[in-house]
Amino acid sequence: MTEQERIYYLREQLHQHNHRYYVENNPIISDQEFDFMMHELQDLEARHPELYDANSPTMRVGSDITKEFKQVSHKYPMLSLANTYNEQDVEEWYNQVKRGLEGEDFEVCCEMKYDGLSISLTYEEGRLTQAVTRGDGVHGDDVTTNVKTIRSIPLVLQPGLGYPANFEIRGEILLPWDNFNRLNEEREEIGEQPFANPRNAASGTLKSQDSRVVAERGLDAYLYYLITPQGENSDIPPYHYGSLETSKKWGFKVSEGMKKVKTLQEIYDFINYWDTERKNLPVATDGIVLKVNSLRQQRHLGFTAKSPRWAIAYKFKAERVCTRLQEVTYQVGRTGAITPVANMETVQLAGTKVRRATLNNEDFIRSFNLHEGDWVYVEKGGEIIPKIVGVDESRRESNAKPVTFITHCPECGAELRRIEGESAHYCPNDTGCPPQIKGRIEHFIARKAMNIDSLGPETVDLYYEKGFISNIADLYTLTVPQLNYEGSREKSARKIINAIEESKKVPFERVVFALGIRMVGETTAKLLARHFKDIETLRHATVEQLTEVEGIGEIIAVNVIAYFKDEKNAEIVNRLISYGLQMSISKEMMTNKGNALEGKNIVISGVFTHHSRDEYKLLIEQYGGKNVSSISSKTTFILAGDNMGPSKLQKAEKLGVQIVSEEEFLEMIGGDNATTESSQEQQTEAAEEQPQKKSSNKPIQLELF
Ligand code: IVH
């Protein structure tokens, strides 16, 4: 056998053994033999770079080549499922399907709802060519290199199995419980924050820039949705269940415990069985998915804007446990907001150890009349952070003291303030309180802000402790010799300095976001940047000018003004200008792309597929139009997505205003040319710092969990 033949032989053998081990759970050779073959292949491949194969089994071990993930558009949008929480909801869905099918018989395929992150895999001629995350459903991250390290995902399918030349298969990537627990133990040992749940761990792992890390962590994947371009393919049964059975034959690990049923009672039985049995599964599940089995019937039922009518998710009830409150501690966030945290006796809840839960704010504590040493009920639903949902007052000791909110900052001792109308307490010492200073720097360097990714929270901490940096502007004064203080860090010091230098090219909108102005999240920063166009105009804007911008209310305006009025901030901004950061909107944004919309007043309404609302606003401006907020006789047309409100529709009809669909609009401005600089904006405003409304019991995200 020549070396070339040996390479081909080993690749084929390793693909097969891999499948037996990771998908079938039925290996026929020892781990040692497997490793031996893998090493031999690695050596041979190193000697024969001309025989490179992107899908070789050696790709499973990963590499440390750092690269940004490329954003790609999904060929078919990745929709989510409507959720139901009880039997009545399930019955309602079942009856809707029945009505939709006009009494025709139908089968339902019941399967597990996996709690990981969704992935779409593309195969061409039997080879995995692309793996993309869900992203915003329309565009996702290309994580192919990382996904190739997941051993249960076939890189090359066995020939002759009748799969189509091109197909997509979707499923969920998960970190099995065992691997998750081991990972968290290791993290705790080395003083790193454990992951809150396997979903976060899987997501953090998949987004890692080092595919060797991904390979080591041991992710797994279950596939639950096959999409073939021709729709019905002669070799694939025209049924969901059958298509997954077929996918299994091609080498995929498919949803466990799938069952075809007909009646509502059978659905309930399936739900009840798995509600307890799921605890024995190796991976996290959070419900059951019900899908109409016939693909023909699925097509007949169709989709709403967000989800298929032919499928629904039933979410298991959140698990609840009772444990004892030991102590309330307080965290200080980047903006000085104080978050009380309940530290409890450790309990096992929904597969993870829980010992901390957010208490949100003073009103939340009061609403439970929380006392020291109370027995509290803790729940973990879909949310990441466990929450306290009640107190067992009957177990309260008679001399227990009520929990009282602190009056001074636990970090710097400053007296806390509570702003009228808001429920959070704040530490006002923003320039002298360490977590606030460090938090602001961490926010500044974050991926969505200045993207200085060679710096992380630990390095920020270190440089702050060493006195190298005490505000965001100081980052630009760092030098290689200063960071190479131990004489052995030249390479990483250089990398950091380069990344800081590189950040000077980050567009103005993100600089505005990076400043960390209270309540100015990504979207608001864009609105401000696009409206005021440069820092000088923005920093001198009045409340009136600020509130003129659609989407900017008085509270945000006041915060913007307060930020720039502060002398220390003003000095920081001056320094950032002098270091050469982008302080005005880029030419690309200002350029007029055409005048197709000149003189037109356009209202945007509904939910869109191709671009976000902000992108449409920008496109309207770039093509000479004006985006107006309400419909009047002056409105030229309404750019309407899905779910446009009925009152708007009525008004449009009454005034005879034309309704234009997304596609028609894009056509109007020149079809494919109509791209904006970022198509990634369909994110929610969740990341924005919204004020906590008085008495809101909504849990807020803590960095710590
Ligand atoms: S089917 C068009 N099946 O749940 C329908 N989804 O909100 C495609 N999920 O984003 C989805 N287990 O990540 C389907 N057995 C299963 C699932 C499942 C988990 C996830 C998926 C999706 C979310 C739905």
Side-chain angles (χ1 to χ4, degrees):
M1 206 185 267
T2 62
E3 286 196 332
Q4 178 170 6
E5 282 164 349
R6 181 77 184 155
I7 288 179
Y8 293 151
Y9 171 78
L10 287 170
R11 281 179 185 165
E12 213 244 358
Q13 285 289 308
L14 282 165
H15 279 312
Q16 281 188 22
H17 290 304
N18 192 71
H19 178 260
R20 281 183 181 276
Y21 187 95
Y22 290 98
V23 180
E24 289 179 6
N25 241 332
N26 183 22
I28 50 163
I29 57 167
S30 69
D31 290 2
Q32 218 179 359
E33 280 170 285
F34 185 90
D35 289 346
F36 201 74
M37 284 165 81
M38 184 68 96
H39 284 139
E40 187 188 344
L41 180 58
Q42 274 176 321
D43 288 347
L44 283 169
E45 285 184 346
R47 282 217 297 277
H48 291 278
E50 76 284 3
L51 299 177
Y52 173 82
D53 176 5
N55 288 44
S56 163
T58 52
M59 291 292 155
R60 304 270 197 206
V61 286
S63 91
D64 65 349
I65 299 169
T66 315
K67 61 171 182 57
E68 283 278 298
F69 296 116
K70 201 173 70 199
Q71 284 269 318
V72 287
S73 306
H74 291 295
K75 210 158 159 197
Y76 314 95
M78 282 184 87
L79 300 176
S80 55
L81 297 169
N83 285 328
T84 59
Y85 298 89
N86 51 48
E87 291 191 354
Q88 285 100 293
D89 292 347
V90 173
E91 185 179 349
E92 211 168 284
W93 171 78
Y94 185 87
N95 288 333
Q96 259 167 21
V97 169
K98 207 179 202 169
R99 277 198 300 277
L101 296 175
E102 292 151 33
E104 196 181 42
D105 252 11
F106 64 98
E107 280 179 329
V108 173
C109 179
C110 308
E111 57 195 66
M112 302 312 303
K113 183 173 187 309
Y114 292 103
D115 193 12
L117 62 149
S118 32
I119 193 83
S120 190
L121 308 175
T122 303
Y123 284 79
E124 287 169 24
E125 308 296 346
R127 299 166 69 82
L128 173 67
T129 51
Q130 198 172 52
V132 185
T133 62
R134 179 172 189 275
D136 58 14
V138 180
H139 321 89
D141 280 336
D142 180 335
V143 288
T144 316
T145 315
N146 284 348
V147 164
K148 281 185 180 171
T149 69
I150 303 175
R151 311 247 171 187
S152 52
I153 294 183
L155 301 183
V156 180
L157 307 180
Q158 291 287 308
L161 295 176
Y163 43 79
N166 289 304
F167 70 90
E168 234 177 282
I169 188 159
R170 292 182 176 172
E172 204 84 349
I173 292 193
L174 302 129
L175 189 65
W177 285 115
D178 284 351
N179 297 355
F180 167 74
N181 290 328
R182 200 180 50 231
L183 174 66
N184 267 357
E185 276 163 27
E186 281 166 14
R187 285 174 79 89
E188 282 189 78
E189 256 168 44
I190 56 169
E192 274 186 35
Q193 203 58 49
F195 286 109
N197 54 37
R199 177 167 18 96
N200 281 11
S203 161
T205 305
L206 199 67
K207 299 283 169 69
S208 167
Q209 293 290 341
D210 184 343
S211 59
R212 279 185 312 201
V213 172
V214 189
E216 272 163 25
R217 297 236 175 119
L219 293 171
D220 204 347
Y222 288 82
L223 286 313
Y224 46 62
Y225 188 36
L226 176 69
I227 313 175
T228 51
Q230 312 85 317
E232 280 170 38
N233 184 300
S234 57
D235 288 337
I236 307 167
Y239 295 94
H240 173 70
Y241 188 93
S243 74
L244 288 190
E245 287 274 283
T246 307
S247 311
K248 197 170 167 180
K249 291 198 190 104
W250 299 343
F252 295 99
K253 198 170 196 173
V254 299
S255 191
E256 232 160 317
M258 277 193 305
K259 192 169 180 191
K260 275 183 289 186
V261 302
K262 283 199 155 171
T263 65
L264 259 177
Q265 189 53 49
E266 285 173 306
I267 294 177
Y268 299 152
D269 291 346
F270 187 89
I271 290 176
N272 291 334
Y273 174 77
W274 283 106
D275 199 356
T276 43
E277 197 50 36
R278 72 190 178 108
K279 287 169 197 143
N280 299 322
L281 291 176
V283 292
T285 52
D286 61 345
I288 295 295
V289 179
L290 306 170
K291 295 173 184 166
V292 170
N293 193 29
S294 149
L295 302 187
R296 180 185 56 79
Q297 290 179 333
Q298 285 188 0
R299 277 196 298 278
H300 184 80
L301 292 162
F303 294 82
T304 69
K306 286 197 214 119
S307 51
R309 288 198 189 87
W310 47 264
I312 199 151
Y314 168 88
K315 298 283 283 265
F316 293 126
K317 284 188 188 58
E319 278 187 56
R320 176 184 287 201
V321 284
C322 196
T323 182
R324 192 150 193 212
L325 177 69
Q326 289 174 320
E327 190 194 5
V328 176
T329 52
Y330 296 84
Q331 275 182 17
V332 186
R334 159 172 79 82
T335 55
I338 309 288
T339 308
V341 177
N343 295 264
M344 306 161 297
E345 275 171 21
T346 308
V347 276
Q348 194 70 22
L349 177 61
T352 49
K353 277 191 219 137
V354 168
R355 54 172 180 270
R356 292 149 73 77
T358 175
L359 288 169
N360 298 312
N361 52 49
E362 188 179 21
D363 293 341
F364 186 86
I365 294 176
R366 289 232 177 102
S367 71
F368 288 115
N369 184 23
L370 197 65
H371 280 55
E372 288 169 10
D374 264 351
W375 286 87
V376 289
Y377 293 108
V378 187
E379 248 184 32
K380 207 164 163 196
E383 314 79 20
I384 297 163
I385 308 162
K387 31 172 213 210
I388 294 198
V389 292
V391 173
D392 185 352
E393 294 195 17
S394 68
R395 291 172 87 175
R396 181 174 293 157
E397 281 164 20
S398 55
N399 57 353
K401 288 200 211 95
V403 170
T404 48
F405 207 84
I406 47 167
T407 52
H408 290 77
C409 175
E411 298 281 345
C412 71
E415 192 175 342
L416 300 182
R417 282 194 205 143
R418 184 169 168 170
I419 299 168
E420 188 62 38
E422 288 185 28
S423 54
H425 283 74
Y426 287 93
C427 165
N429 184 14
D430 54 350
T431 48
C433 181
Q436 292 191 59
I437 298 171
K438 288 188 276 189
R440 268 199 304 273
I441 301 176
E442 279 165 25
H443 169 77
F444 186 79
I445 62 173
R447 190 171 165 202
K448 288 181 172 174
M450 303 305 282
N451 193 21
I452 308 178
D453 61 355
S454 44
L455 275 179
E458 294 85 20
T459 342
V460 167
D461 231 46
L462 188 75
Y463 293 172
Y464 174 76
E465 302 306 332
K466 286 202 167 288
F468 295 169
I469 47 173
S470 56
N471 62 51
I472 52 176
D474 290 345
L475 288 168
Y476 295 90
T477 63
L478 293 173
T479 60
V480 173
Q482 189 183 16
L483 303 187
N484 184 23
Y485 52 90
E486 282 175 349
S488 59
R489 296 166 177 256
E490 165 126 15
K491 203 172 151 209
S492 69
R494 215 165 270 291
K495 205 169 149 201
I496 292 170
I497 298 295
N498 285 345
I500 293 174
E501 197 53 36
E502 215 26 46
S503 76
K504 292 182 183 170
K505 295 184 196 146
V506 163
F508 180 50
E509 310 86 280
R510 275 167 53 195
V511 176
V512 175
F513 171 57
L515 291 177
I517 305 170
R518 267 189 65 206
M519 292 179 58
V520 176
E522 252 187 302
T523 315
T524 310
K526 268 184 195 138
L527 292 176
L528 291 171
R530 286 172 187 174
H531 185 88
F532 293 101
K533 306 215 164 33
D534 61 56
I535 194 80
E536 288 309 323
T537 321
L538 174 62
R539 79 198 297 192
H540 295 114
T542 60
V543 173
E544 292 72 32
Q545 288 166 335
L546 285 160
T547 49
E548 249 172 43
V549 186
E550 202 197 322
I552 308 282
E554 210 163 297
I555 303 181
I556 297 180
V558 167
N559 277 300
V560 173
I561 288 174
Y563 177 87
F564 288 112
K565 217 171 114 192
D566 183 293
E567 270 176 31
K568 292 190 195 101
N569 291 337
E571 194 204 317
I572 288 174
V573 171
N574 287 339
R575 284 177 63 199
L576 294 178
I577 298 172
S578 76
Y579 297 140
L581 274 69
Q582 298 300 312
M583 289 300 185
S584 57
I585 207 96
S586 67
K587 280 207 196 79
E588 147 81 4
M589 294 284 286
M590 304 264 265
T591 29
N592 231 342
K593 292 193 166 175
N595 49 10
L597 304 175
E598 204 163 299
K600 296 193 165 50
N601 294 320
I602 304 161
V603 170
I604 304 180
S605 178
V607 185
F608 298 93
T609 322
H610 301 292
H611 295 282
S612 69
R613 255 167 183 272
D614 277 353
E615 285 172 344
Y616 278 120
K617 278 186 196 164
L618 182 63
L619 282 171
I620 291 173
E621 276 175 31
Q622 285 174 332
Y623 284 86
K626 192 171 169 210
N627 170 225
V628 289
S629 53
S630 56
I631 306 169
S632 71
S633 54
K634 292 202 193 96
T635 309
T636 323
F637 66 79
I638 300 171
L639 166 56
D642 286 323
N643 290 351
M644 179 174 156
S647 61
K648 273 205 174 141
L649 207 60
Q650 257 175 16
K651 196 162 175 193
E653 271 169 18
K654 206 170 123 204
L655 296 170
V657 178
Q658 191 194 351
I659 308 243
V660 170
S661 75
E662 227 181 325
E663 287 74 19
E664 285 166 339
F665 176 83
L666 291 172
E667 194 66 25
M668 249 182 213
I669 56 172
D672 287 349
N673 294 331
T675 48
T676 59
E677 100 290 8
S678 112
S679 297
Q680 208 195 334
E681 278 178 47
Q682 279 207 340
Q683 316 226 335
T684 59
E685 296 262 321
E688 308 244 336
E689 283 234 354
Q690 301 293 359
Q692 293 180 49
K693 292 278 169 325
K694 219 170 166 179
S695 295
S696 149
N697 283 356
K698 217 171 135 239
I700 59 162
Q701 297 253 337
L702 295 181
E703 302 101 21
L704 249 166
F705 291 89

